[in-house]
Amino acid sequence: MVIFWSCFAVYGICSAFTATYSTGMIKVIQVIQAVAILGIIYVVSSTAQFSVKNNFLRITLVLYVMYSIFILFHGYEYTYEFTKRLFFSSFIKYFFPLILLIPKNLKFYSRIFDVIIIYSVAFIFLNIIFADLVFVHYEKNINQKFAFEGFFKNLGITVAFLLFTYKYHSKNRILLALLVLLMIIGTSTFKARRAIMVLSTFHLLIFMVIFYLKSNYKLVMSGILALFIGVLAVYGPKFYKENKYTYFGELNERGTEDTRTGVEIAMARDFEPVDWVIGRGINGKYWCPNIDLNDTSGYRVMIETDYLNIILKGGVIYLGLILIMAIPAAFKAFFFSNNLLSKAAGIWIVLWILSLYPLNVFNTDLNHMLLWVCVGIGFSKDLRNMSDETIKESFSG
């Protein structure tokens, strides 16, 4: 599995680079990504065992894969440009659940955290290298709109999963992950990327709650938290008012601006009943002019509300297939487990589902792959019954 996760790490870092619009490097990046994708496909095809212990999961997984194949052929454009775009960005994500067929041990899960650490280091370096794109507001630089979001989506978001499972990791890893999460919160606040800011703040709060519940210093932590809340309550409003035209300027300007309703209404108007049921296929579009920059057709192939994005491609059938696997897994992982890894998996599944409204999380990235890893944990009774000591010992080894 070293090859699998190495290829996945390479693909994610390359995807983050594409968010900078460094077009001079795009051919080199695509060659590297192609090798990584082929490596992932090779490992899955050579190690997958077509047997799932849970009958419900086995039947649902077969239906999911069959329906994914239907989506790919429904609306497929037999052109070189479309095939190329599909290969590098969308194709592989429809088959992420096949990871459920790969035999897993604790070393498999430990590799995920190695990838998250690699991503954390890459996230910091890319934000420094491309600071001119990251820390400039949208009105001044069009490309910057996507740079930070690309870094967050491809590299930064999964750092919270490492924090949720802090008991298994060294202090250095925890400090690195915490630094990345604080960078995400700070940058997203400055850039007024509200969904990222809220989700990352929620990640931090969940980590604090988990750490508090597992800590032996609850009284000390309660005092520190009370002091922090008191300082924030007294000086926070003053700092915000004095800096609303600098650090908080963009956030203050956008406020509660609604950027979702318009595109949601446009999609609803353009959809027929059959579209809601089965979607419009891999290249599904809807009529929504005057939204995207440099738009000439008036049609959009994506929507910012991701549960509608899934419906756009595969209808409520596809969304339903995802949820009927994910929700029971989250329930089992959180309520019927003896270790922090399983409970964190349950939390992550719920967060991914909730993120379907404010963010695009159905992507070819580690966050989406981690969803299916967590689903596998939820349906694995053996893993759920392991002790924290057993898992930590294996991770350390």
Side-chain angles (χ1 to χ4, degrees):
M1 296 311 296
V2 174
I3 296 175
F4 177 87
W5 287 119
S6 298
C7 289
F8 210 95
V10 169
Y11 179 87
I13 294 173
C14 288
S15 296
F17 263 108
T18 61
T20 65
Y21 285 78
S22 300
T23 53
M25 299 175 57
I26 193 65
K27 290 184 179 180
V28 176
I29 290 174
Q30 287 182 340
V31 169
I32 297 173
Q33 281 188 310
V35 174
I37 292 171
L38 293 175
I40 292 170
I41 294 173
Y42 167 75
V43 173
V44 173
S45 61
S46 61
T47 60
Q49 296 180 358
F50 296 93
S51 60
V52 178
K53 292 182 179 179
N54 187 282
N55 291 329
F56 171 79
L57 181 61
R58 179 169 60 249
I59 295 171
T60 311
L61 183 60
V62 170
L63 292 174
Y64 180 95
V65 173
M66 291 174 62
Y67 200 76
S68 295
I69 294 172
F70 165 75
I71 292 172
L72 289 175
F73 285 100
H74 181 207
Y76 190 91
E77 288 187 6
Y78 293 89
T79 64
Y80 170 76
E81 287 299 326
F82 178 79
T83 303
K84 178 181 175 182
R85 176 164 59 87
L86 183 65
F87 177 78
F88 285 109
S89 63
S90 302
F91 154 72
I92 197 172
K93 72 180 181 182
Y94 286 93
F95 299 97
F96 275 3
L98 291 178
I99 199 171
L100 296 172
L101 302 177
I102 296 177
K104 304 174 187 67
N105 53 29
L106 290 177
K107 185 58 66 176
F108 172 90
Y109 298 105
S110 71
R111 297 298 183 194
I112 298 173
F113 296 108
D114 294 337
V115 174
I116 293 175
I117 290 298
I118 293 171
Y119 277 3
S120 298
V121 174
F123 179 85
I124 294 173
F125 274 103
L126 285 177
N127 274 276
I128 294 173
I129 294 170
F130 295 98
D132 57 327
L133 296 180
V134 171
F135 297 103
V136 178
H137 287 307
Y138 172 61
E139 293 79 6
K140 299 179 181 179
N141 189 325
I142 295 175
N143 288 346
Q144 70 78 38
K145 180 180 181 181
F146 306 102
F148 174 70
E149 283 81 347
F151 297 162
F152 170 75
K153 177 182 71 175
N154 292 292
L155 303 175
I157 187 171
T158 53
V159 76
F161 191 70
L162 188 146
L163 290 173
F164 294 170
T165 56
Y166 78 95
K167 287 187 67 174
Y168 310 127
H169 312 298
S170 67
K171 291 183 179 179
N172 290 335
R173 284 193 167 198
I174 295 169
L175 289 174
L176 176 63
L178 192 57
L179 172 62
V180 171
L181 185 58
L182 292 175
M183 284 180 61
I184 292 170
I185 295 173
T187 307
S188 60
T189 301
F190 172 73
K191 293 172 67 64
R193 310 315 296 173
R194 294 167 296 176
I196 298 176
M197 179 184 69
V198 172
L199 178 64
S200 299
T201 302
F202 203 56
H203 282 165
L204 180 61
L205 291 175
I206 292 174
F207 165 64
M208 292 172 65
V209 170
I210 294 174
F211 190 79
Y212 175 81
L213 293 175
K214 298 290 183 178
S215 173
N216 295 322
Y217 304 97
K218 290 183 172 58
L219 185 61
V220 175
M221 290 185 61
S222 298
I224 295 174
L225 181 60
L227 179 63
F228 174 76
I229 293 174
V231 172
L232 188 65
V234 173
Y235 294 101
K238 181 180 179 181
F239 182 79
Y240 176 79
K241 289 178 182 179
E242 292 178 353
N243 293 273
K244 67 180 181 179
Y245 298 113
T246 53
Y247 181 78
F248 291 106
E250 191 77 1
L251 184 63
N252 182 69
E253 183 178 332
R254 295 191 70 187
T256 57
E257 177 188 356
D258 185 359
T259 58
R260 295 285 192 272
T261 302
V263 292
E264 292 170 356
I265 292 175
M267 178 175 165
R269 286 176 177 172
D270 197 44
F271 257 44
E272 300 293 335
V274 67
D275 296 322
W276 288 105
V277 176
I278 66 171
R280 292 185 170 177
I282 191 66
N283 196 35
K285 304 174 183 177
Y286 64 101
W287 176 250
C288 186
N290 304 319
I291 295 293
D292 297 320
L293 294 170
N294 304 319
D295 174 46
T296 57
S297 68
Y299 282 92
R300 303 186 83 211
V301 296
M302 63 82 64
I303 184 169
E304 288 76 4
T305 307
D306 218 16
Y307 78 92
L308 289 178
N309 213 33
I310 294 172
I311 292 174
L312 174 64
K313 308 301 182 181
V316 294
I317 293 177
Y318 200 55
L319 179 62
L321 287 171
I322 295 172
L323 295 180
I324 63 175
M325 285 189 284
I327 293 174
F331 187 79
K332 288 173 178 287
F334 190 81
F335 292 105
F336 298 95
S337 62
N338 298 324
N339 57 73
L340 184 59
L341 177 62
S342 298
K343 294 188 184 301
I347 294 171
W348 197 262
I349 293 170
V350 172
L351 287 174
W352 191 91
I353 293 172
L354 293 176
S355 297
L356 286 173
Y357 180 76
L359 292 168
N360 289 126
V361 291
F362 187 76
N363 304 308
T364 310
D365 55 34
L366 184 59
N367 181 32
H368 184 197
M369 175 64 81
L370 193 54
L371 165 73
W372 295 107
V373 171
C374 291
V375 169
I377 292 174
F379 280 104
S380 174
K381 188 176 181 179
D382 292 339
L383 181 56
R384 299 199 318 268
N385 288 335
M386 286 185 182
S387 66
D388 281 324
E389 290 71 23
T390 300
I391 295 174
K392 184 175 182 179
E393 183 179 350
S394 177
F395 282 13
S396 300

